[in-house]
Amino acid sequence: MIDTELIIALRNARFIAALTGAGISAESGLATFRDAQTGLWARFDPRELATPSAFARNPKLVWDWYAWRRERVAAAQPNAGHFALAELERRASDFMLITQNVDGLHQRAGGRKLVELHGNIGRVKCSREDTLVERWEAPAGEVPRCAHCGAPLRPDVVWFEEMLPEHAVAAAEDAVRRCDVLLVVGTSAEVYPAAALPAHAQRSGAIVVEINPNTTALSAAADHVLRGAAGAVLPALVAALD
Ligand code: OAD
């Protein structure tokens, strides 16, 4: 049940922002990170796969793990939650989507005003020079190398112990400072600095709405909590604006 106060706030909002996490892509068949049993970090050790030192120790293992995830992403389709946020972008006078996801499904659903805090798994860059690489080749079983400097190539995602892209953090902070409503969808709200954005929005006067089937680190502080799957709740929320 979506309460009337929230619908009025959304109708009157000049600027709507959304912060998304892995949960919004769960209904597209992509695993989250921290859900018990099914989460990637329940099955794989992030220290062996998602840190610069893991890549230095075993680039092949890390490259292959991201290649496997890239294939899963390429085979997935955006779901009703992604499409509802793209629809909200079209309806709102001002809108910004901040995502922690690297899967590009928001863009494939038609989302345009968005900032990727943790990079994008579809892009590859040189591990030394940080330059994006469009095409690469490697002998079977080897990690491809930078044509310019010879360093191994890596996915353009943010690993633990790394800084987020500065322009992305600046755009996200600007959005939470200026928005009237922030929808926080499918994130455990445990990973910083993204997890600090809802409190930042509230301090700047925004209403924070959590959309998640489970209790999270944000739940107690959220102004509204809509318990349910993003693919059901977000289309209902957009429909309620008519
Ligand atoms: P988590 O796996 O920590 O949290 C996923 C959240 O999605 C949980 O709160 C679930 O309850 C919720 N959820 C599950 N199914 C859902 C559904 N159908 N609809 C809505 N919500 C659902 O994922 P993130 O919060 O995205 O970082 O994790 C943040 C970061 O930690 C990731 O970006 C990644 C990871 O380490 C990096 O790789 C840098």
Side-chain angles (χ1 to χ4, degrees):
M1 211 25 214
I2 302 168
D3 73 55
T4 322
E5 194 192 327
L6 173 56
I7 295 167
I8 293 170
L10 276 167
R11 281 193 188 141
N12 291 340
R14 214 192 45 77
F15 189 145
I16 300 174
L19 169 65
T20 63
I24 196 168
S25 296
E27 289 156 271
S28 295
L30 298 178
T32 60
F33 293 94
R34 290 174 189 76
D35 283 298
Q37 319 294 331
T38 57
L40 287 173
W41 298 153
R43 295 187 282 146
F44 301 98
D45 183 350
R47 287 164 305 185
E48 298 301 325
L49 294 164
T51 65
S53 48
F55 186 67
R57 271 196 310 278
N58 196 343
K60 177 86 171 74
L61 177 76
V62 174
W63 177 267
D64 286 350
W65 190 68
Y66 278 93
W68 167 72
R69 283 184 57 201
R70 195 178 295 124
E71 279 170 24
R72 306 255 324 146
V73 163
Q77 299 299 328
N79 66 55
H82 298 105
F83 286 114
L85 284 179
E87 172 69 16
L88 199 57
E89 172 183 331
R90 285 189 286 274
R91 288 179 177 222
S93 19
D94 213 344
F95 182 87
M96 183 55 78
L97 173 63
I98 306 158
T99 188
Q100 298 166 86
N101 298 345
V102 297
D103 57 32
L105 289 181
H106 287 299
Q107 294 93 316
R108 284 170 57 195
R112 291 294 170 263
K113 292 184 185 167
L114 63 93
V115 50
E116 294 178 315
L117 284 178
H118 294 165
N120 189 303
I121 201 166
R123 290 192 303 259
V124 165
K125 65 180 183 179
C126 171
S127 61
R128 185 182 300 148
E129 298 174 324
D130 222 35
T131 45
L132 289 179
V133 174
E134 294 292 335
R135 270 182 292 275
W136 64 88
E137 279 173 32
E142 284 183 30
V143 177
R145 293 186 168 270
C146 173
H148 186 240
C149 76
L153 299 180
R154 57 164 282 181
D156 185 20
V157 299
V158 175
W159 284 331
F160 290 101
E161 299 161 20
E162 290 185 320
M163 304 290 281
L164 275 57
E166 253 174 60
H167 64 92
V169 173
E173 282 175 353
D174 179 65
V176 295
R177 198 165 38 243
R178 295 199 294 123
C179 70
D180 304 301
V181 178
L182 174 68
L183 306 177
V184 183
V185 188
T187 178
S188 59
E190 285 180 20
V191 175
Y192 286 80
L197 294 170
H200 191 156
Q202 280 177 321
R203 278 198 305 278
S204 307
I207 293 170
V208 168
V209 185
E210 175 173 77
I211 296 163
N212 198 308
N214 301 305
T215 305
T216 72
L218 173 69
S219 300
D223 299 296
H224 296 265
V225 175
L226 302 178
R227 281 275 164 261
V233 174
L234 282 170
L237 196 62
V238 173
L241 299 182
D242 285 333

